[in-house]
């Protein structure tokens, strides 16, 4: 698809690696000054197609699936001014190279915060309340085989109760989505928040005290990974992907967790060692897990070790999958492209 | 099982329709003054067994599955002082007869409020976020067949977003569990609450204003069923069961709901007409449904119309199924028995 640039015209080329639907695409296609080239298929963009079509582009609007590495930058050529990714993550983009070549990077934070926080809280309760086992039992028509009994399907209560009047939420990374998740947990009786910070940042006791006061928590503390594992009733994995955080949740971490605790990953699959998690669930080191992402997704076959664990709820990366949020992400990604072409500061620009 | 009452002793007979586990049963079995007779099997109590064993009992500790009707009262005889049900519902007990015969009724409110509110919120999001379809897809090993795409699996966002900055929660019945559910929804961006009241109670504008202020809502209003259906982004069914509320959610109600709305039933299956709901989902009058209860449960076979609807999440009545909550319910049910035997006011006594 192309907005029919006349040969020899001075149109500005924008390459788009995925059709963004009838509400978003016109924001680009209706601009006569642009030559918009869009990957024409209903699946992830072929790298070969992108390498061919990024040639001479001023802007590239891409998804998480497109690796923007040296080969891609060189294919684009020196005219590339902006890469706009429709994602909050940017581990697929070589930021150092972008800085060297003065290519601005746009991303889509904030607009997906609420939708991902919704799924994070939902997965925490799905993992703790045996939802996979119980929902599959009903779906198989077997409810009558396991009727009500005083303690059937029971497990530890994640929310506060007459027995556990305090509850601790742990976060690997305390960014925007973590804070929105934390806010949602307060009326469930959560009283404490612990988190691990970016190792490149310094602790900020004042900010922690402010967060505690804002949410009415008894405490908010930055801790090490060992303490996070040991003290949390639920651990939310909400840090960026990439080599620095790969398998941050590994066998050692999982062994330190409470037997009653649940793990939730709505960030990137690479952060959690799937084999270690399967072992932890099989051997009951932890109570359950709720995953929206898995390393190697979407190639998660029937023989994947996590699929066999009935205490593991797995969703196919739908954290931000609502009409409102994806529309917001698409619109912001387009606005980043348009600002980048005009040499303006992007509405959501990464510091590179 | 019996605590070995000697023949001719003046022990007080307590019949218990279900073994309540190693943490609760000793509260009764360890009392030498009691003759505790417990249904010995790992399934719901046979009515015939209960009719035989309730004879001469001073107290009966029963579950929701035991119909406490005239035949049962007459079998017990005039010595029956207290019926203690391990449930918040009491539609299985003939309250009029209990009042006539001066039998106190104990139940277990409050202790299950938080656990059921947790599941109510969880089901609302599971219904809105296509969880049944997406989780089953992953569980089948088919994730790779439906990889990420800008609008795949998307639906209306239940939480507030840049497009919908107000959100309305509707409640059929605004009791303890509804209020705990409402409290949990606030950080998801809910701004309005509407509810239908018990037809025997009067509207209370002052109480509504206080509720609004407590939760920071823009408004809390008692409305009719039609307005509840038409205005809610999510309808929570949280009224008592029984003939007065049977099929309160019927075809007429469902046709008035928003196409983007979801229905959640964590109360009693009888409140929702299953056939009408299946039709509503099939014909897309509403977006989805989350059910913890179904009329006729647990006899929900593979050919049940709701099992065929991929937008219908069904759990096998696990609302209060956490160790802490069931322990609390069992302990309270025992304490109701003990107080009733001693002629004291029960810790949780129904006004009959």
């Amino acid at each position: 698809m192309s907005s029919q640039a006349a040969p020899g015209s001075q149109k500005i080329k924008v390459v788009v690696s995925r059709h963004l639907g009838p509400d978003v695409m016109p924001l680009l296609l209706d601009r006569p000054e642009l030559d918009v080239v869009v990957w024409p298929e209903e699946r992830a963009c072929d790298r070969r197609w992108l390498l061919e079509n990024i040639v001479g582009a001023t802007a590239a609007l891409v998804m998480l699936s497109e690796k923007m590495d040296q080969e891609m930058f060189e294919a684009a050529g020196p005219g590339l001014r902006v890469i706009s990714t429709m994602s909050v993550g940017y581990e697929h983009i070589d930021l150092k190279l972008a800085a060297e070549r003065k290519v601005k990077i746009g991303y889509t934070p904030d607009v997906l915060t609420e939708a991902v926080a919704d799924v994070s809280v939902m997965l925490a309760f799905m993992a703790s309340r045996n939802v996979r086992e119980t929902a599959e039992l009903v779906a198989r028509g077997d409810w009558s085989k396991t009727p009500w009994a005083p303690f059937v399907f029971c497990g530890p209560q994640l929310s506060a109760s007459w027995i556990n009047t305090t509850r601790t939420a742990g976060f690997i990374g305390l960014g925007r989505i973590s804070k929105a998740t934390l806010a949602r947990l307060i009326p469930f009786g959560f009283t404490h928040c612990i988190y691990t910070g970016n190792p490149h940042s310094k602790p900020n006791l004042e900010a922690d005290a402010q967060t505690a006061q804002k949410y009415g928590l008894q405490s908010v503390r930055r801790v090490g990974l060992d303490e996070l594992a040991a003290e949390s009733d639920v651990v939310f994995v909400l840090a960026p992907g990439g080599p620095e955080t790969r398998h941050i949740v590994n066998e050692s971490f999982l062994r330190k967790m409470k037997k009653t605790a649940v793990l939730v990953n709505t960030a990137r699959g690479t952060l959690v060692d799937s084999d270690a998690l399967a072992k932890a669930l099989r051997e009951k080191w932890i109570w359950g897990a709720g995953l929206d992402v898995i390393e190697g997704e979407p190639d998660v076959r029937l023989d994947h070790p996590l699929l066999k664990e009935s205490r593991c709820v797995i969703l196919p990366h739908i954290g931000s999958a609502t009409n409102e949020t994806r529309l917001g992400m698409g619109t912001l990604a387009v606005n980043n492209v348009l600002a980048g072409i005009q040499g303006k500061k992007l509405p959501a620009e990464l510091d590179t």
Side-chain angles (χ1 to χ4, degrees), chain A residues 279-343:
Chain A
K279 191 172 171 190
L281 291 164
R282 196 164 57 241
E283 299 184 358
K284 301 193 191 306
W285 310 344
I286 68 172
W287 178 260
L291 309 176
D292 188 41
V293 289
I294 293 191
E295 192 168 21
E297 69 185 50
D299 191 15
V300 178
R301 307 284 170 94
L302 257 187
D303 61 356
H304 193 285
L306 285 171
L307 256 60
K308 293 169 193 156
E309 297 304 320
S310 67
R311 293 272 178 76
C312 189
V313 176
I314 311 174
L315 299 177
H317 208 151
I318 61 166
S320 64
T322 70
N323 293 332
E324 290 83 348
T325 291
R326 290 284 168 83
L327 200 56
M329 292 168 71
T331 304
L332 181 52
V334 166
N335 288 336
N336 281 335
V337 162
L338 297 177
I341 287 171
Q342 293 162 20

Side-chain angles (χ1 to χ4, degrees), chain A residues 125-138 140 142-157 287 310-311:
Chain A
F125 282 91
M126 287 177 70
S128 101
R129 296 301 291 271
N130 289 320
V131 163
R132 180 161 172 201
E133 182 187 358
T134 56
E136 287 182 358
L137 173 117
V138 175
R140 278 197 313 270
D142 284 347
W143 187 349
S144 63
K145 294 180 191 165
T146 314
W148 194 92
F151 288 91
V152 73
F153 303 131
C154 286
Q157 184 164 324
W287 178 260
S310 67
R311 293 272 178 76

Side-chain angles (χ1 to χ4, degrees), chain A residues 56-215:
Chain A
T58 302
L61 196 165
V62 301
M63 311 292 121
L64 205 53
S65 45
E66 278 72 74
K67 203 163 170 61
M68 305 304 283
D69 53 9
Q70 184 159 4
E71 185 186 24
M72 194 62 77
F73 277 89
E74 285 175 2
L80 188 67
R81 296 271 57 83
V82 56
I83 295 172
S84 167
T85 180
M86 184 174 152
S87 62
V88 66
Y90 42 81
E91 65 268 27
H92 53 309
I93 304 171
D94 187 332
L95 298 186
K96 194 158 156 277
L97 207 56
E100 282 169 21
R101 298 175 75 112
K102 301 202 189 314
V103 175
K104 290 180 178 174
I105 306 297
Y107 69 139
T108 58
D110 302 322
V111 285
L112 54 59
T113 298
E114 307 304 327
V116 180
D118 293 348
V119 166
S120 301
V121 172
M122 181 184 83
L123 279 173
F125 282 91
M126 287 177 70
S128 101
R129 296 301 291 271
N130 289 320
V131 163
R132 180 161 172 201
E133 182 187 358
T134 56
E136 287 182 358
L137 173 117
V138 175
R140 278 197 313 270
D142 284 347
W143 187 349
S144 63
K145 294 180 191 165
T146 314
W148 194 92
F151 288 91
V152 73
F153 303 131
C154 286
Q157 184 164 324
L158 183 55
S159 63
S161 66
W162 64 297
I163 294 175
N164 296 307
T165 54
T166 65
R167 301 273 86 192
T168 298
F171 295 92
I172 297 182
L174 193 66
R176 288 173 293 258
I177 299 172
S178 290
K179 284 184 182 162
T181 301
L182 176 61
R184 282 158 169 73
L185 292 173
I186 305 303
F188 292 89
F190 276 76
T191 49
H192 296 76
C193 166
I194 51 181
Y195 69 97
T196 59
N198 181 327
H200 306 302
S201 76
K202 285 183 190 158
N204 185 337
L205 294 177
E206 201 181 326
D208 291 347
Q210 282 168 0
T211 305
Q213 189 174 23
K214 178 175 176 186
Y215 296 119

Side-chain angles (χ1 to χ4, degrees), chain A residues 2-6 9-14 25-37 58-59 334 337-338 341-342:
Chain A
S2 171
S3 52
Q4 298 168 342
S9 76
Q10 291 301 307
K11 289 209 175 195
I12 297 161
K13 184 172 181 184
V14 179
M25 286 313 299
L27 305 176
L28 287 172
L29 295 173
D30 289 355
R31 294 189 164 253
E33 74 275 23
L34 302 183
D35 171 25
V36 182
V37 182
T58 302
V334 166
V337 162
L338 297 177
I341 287 171
Q342 293 162 20

